[in-house]
Amino acid sequence: MPPKAIGPYRVLETLGSGGAGTVYRALDRRSNDEVALKLLSTGGPSLDDRAARRLAREFETLADLSHPNVVKVFEAGIHAGQPYLAMELIEGLTLRHYLDVSFNDLHTPTPSSRGPFSLRRTADDDFGSEDGPDEDDDGSEDDGTFDLNAFAEEAPSEDLASFHGAGEDDSDGLPGVDPRRAGVRAPPPSRTPATPKLADLNRPERMGKLKDAMLQVCEALAYIHGHGLVHRDLKPSNIMVDDDRQVRLMDFGLAKFLADDAGITADGKLVGTYRYMAPEQILGEPLDGRADLYSLGVILYELLSGRPPFDAKTPHELWRQVLETEPPPLLALNLHGDPQLARVAHRLIRKEPDDRFQTAEEVYEALSE
Ligand SMILES: Nc1ncnc2c1ncn2[C@@H]1O[C@H](COP(=O)(O)OP(=O)(O)OP(=O)(O)O)[C@@H](O)[C@H]1O
């Protein structure tokens, strides 16, 4: 049951929930304006006065930001010991769903149409179950097709403890990373599987929407990076597109509030979404805007090819791939994909920040060519 009121806001309905908390449509009783209210779940004890003051300080910075492509944050407060954030209410879709609509327009799902390049949406998050045989959602054996789960909602971060449940300890697999410090977040709700054809990815209308949205994300990133800030958790569900096709970058500042400089929370969890994390973020190194550009590259790669550049059953395997292996050439996955956009995606997901585009402005230029 959602709370009836949060601070000066009357809760009207639940809009959705993610790893960091729940978002409500709410009415500001002072102004009668509707807002989106995100009630954060810190996973720990109630915030003490010091943490509350830090929250207020962090969000003072956010409230000062103003850009058409960055969601407007109005205020932050504490409700029953948990922080909340009041922000602009966006009537629209997350980027993932926005670019998915065109599939549904065109395509009648045919479960049997899974060829080697067919897409299958799963209710899975980033990783399959580690126990038991590798099975599809419908319980059938894996038929060797790509596990194109890029259009399933990403799980914000995975419960690493569950990957160690069998007593196996592979914590030495990666330098500087203790997987037991990773966050525990609930998997996303199941969604009806659809099976759009790979060719649908390249529909001109969809490509136009994709490119336009990416350009707007670049503008938002250029703005926040210009203010010396890093998003740290850029992913399709943190990008919303309203009914006028205007993009808003969301959840900006949350990762920073919830974690220390190395991206670790007070209770030892790694903040961010594994699939989109840059190598330097996985390693807990200091971050700059180029980590966000890496995440942007992963988003672009998966929206262009229908699958993420690195895909694995466990966080460890994913991290190993991100740190050590090259992603498959995008155009090998989508033969008729846009070569220019594919080049941009590949350059964004280079392992060394110095080898990537260096600024969001550079990415904007490259996307506009
Ligand atoms: N400002 C907003 N206006 C309208 N809807 C919103 C707004 N912010 C979030 N939502 C909706 O609430 C849903 C949940 O958002 P939330 O930020 O909690 O989850 P998430 O982004 O999927 O995960 P995470 O918190 O891990 O980043 C979003 O998918 C979106 O549909």
Side-chain angles (χ1 to χ4, degrees):
M1 271 290 281
K4 285 203 167 77
I6 297 176
Y9 300 91
R10 184 151 66 85
V11 173
L12 302 176
E13 63 169 325
T14 304
L15 290 171
S17 53
T22 303
V23 181
Y24 302 103
R25 181 192 293 268
L27 190 75
D28 184 340
R29 284 185 290 215
R30 298 160 298 187
S31 63
N32 246 8
D33 289 335
E34 284 194 8
V35 299
L37 204 72
K38 182 157 184 162
L39 186 62
L40 296 170
S41 142
T42 54
S46 296
L47 288 191
D48 59 17
D49 284 354
R50 225 172 103 224
R53 278 198 299 277
R54 192 163 74 82
L55 175 78
R57 248 194 342 265
E58 292 286 354
F59 287 101
E60 232 165 68
T61 319
L62 294 190
D64 284 346
L65 297 178
S66 176
H67 186 276
N69 299 119
V70 176
V71 74
K72 187 75 196 146
V73 175
F74 300 129
E75 67 176 340
I78 308 285
H79 170 80
Q82 300 298 309
Y84 69 82
L85 191 64
M87 60 188 155
E88 180 186 6
L89 179 71
I90 312 295
E91 304 288 356
L93 298 167
T94 66
L95 182 64
R96 189 181 297 288
H97 294 117
Y98 172 68
L99 290 171
D100 222 11
V101 170
S102 52
F103 290 163
N104 299 333
D105 290 347
L106 243 202
H107 183 78
T108 310
T110 49
S112 59
S113 70
R114 283 173 45 187
F117 285 99
S118 69
L119 275 168
R120 86 185 131 103
R121 285 172 67 162
T122 74
D124 291 343
D125 46 34
D126 292 352
F127 310 102
S129 161
E130 72 161 355
D131 41 52
D134 184 9
E135 290 184 347
D136 293 334
D137 296 332
D138 57 10
S140 61
E141 288 294 320
D142 194 304
D143 58 6
T145 58
F146 287 116
D147 186 3
L148 298 178
N149 60 0
F151 293 91
E153 282 298 301
E154 68 275 16
S157 56
E158 314 308 318
D159 180 356
L160 268 263
S162 69
F163 291 102
H164 293 268
E168 174 195 349
D169 184 2
D170 51 353
S171 58
D172 58 352
L174 293 168
V177 177
D178 179 350
R180 283 160 295 205
R181 303 176 80 189
V184 178
R185 293 185 179 183
S190 299
R191 300 192 23 219
T192 314
T195 54
K197 298 184 194 86
L198 188 66
D200 294 344
L201 290 173
N202 302 328
R203 289 177 60 216
E205 190 217 341
R206 179 177 182 276
M207 290 304 292
K209 286 162 73 175
L210 190 161
K211 200 164 160 178
D212 179 53
M214 285 290 141
L215 289 171
Q216 294 186 59
V217 175
C218 286
E219 296 200 57
L221 289 177
Y223 177 80
I224 64 166
H225 294 164
H227 282 75
L229 303 161
V230 182
H231 189 294
R232 292 162 185 258
D233 194 14
L234 189 65
K235 57 182 172 177
S237 70
N238 277 341
I239 298 168
M240 284 191 78
V241 188
D242 74 12
D243 297 341
D244 296 324
R245 297 194 172 189
Q246 187 175 327
V247 165
R248 301 296 202 304
L249 196 56
M250 327 276 298
D251 271 3
F252 164 66
L254 276 191
K256 175 125 190 303
F257 173 69
L258 293 171
D260 65 14
D261 286 343
I264 307 292
T265 63
D267 52 350
K269 294 169 185 167
L270 191 60
V271 164
T273 304
Y274 295 165
R275 186 190 285 178
Y276 302 94
M277 274 187 189
E280 62 270 27
Q281 196 168 0
I282 290 172
L283 294 170
E285 291 172 357
L287 301 184
D288 60 30
R290 295 173 299 177
D292 287 341
L293 298 186
Y294 178 94
S295 308
L296 183 69
V298 177
I299 296 171
L300 183 59
Y301 185 107
E302 70 175 31
L303 291 174
L304 289 171
S305 72
R307 55 152 287 172
F310 302 106
D311 206 2
K313 296 272 182 205
T314 66
H316 264 97
E317 174 53 20
L318 181 77
W319 290 343
R320 193 193 62 74
Q321 290 180 17
V322 169
L323 295 174
E324 295 172 8
T325 67
E326 290 307 315
L330 207 160
L331 293 181
L333 299 173
N334 180 357
L335 293 178
H336 303 291
D338 182 310
Q340 166 63 0
L341 295 186
R343 266 197 301 277
V344 173
H346 273 288
R347 184 152 167 215
L348 284 167
I349 54 174
R350 302 282 279 272
K351 303 198 186 307
E352 282 298 325
D354 285 350
D355 294 339
R356 298 174 201 147
F357 291 98
Q358 296 298 292
T359 63
E361 285 91 340
E362 278 182 29
V363 186
Y364 186 101
E365 292 294 315
L367 288 172
S368 313
E369 275 170 16

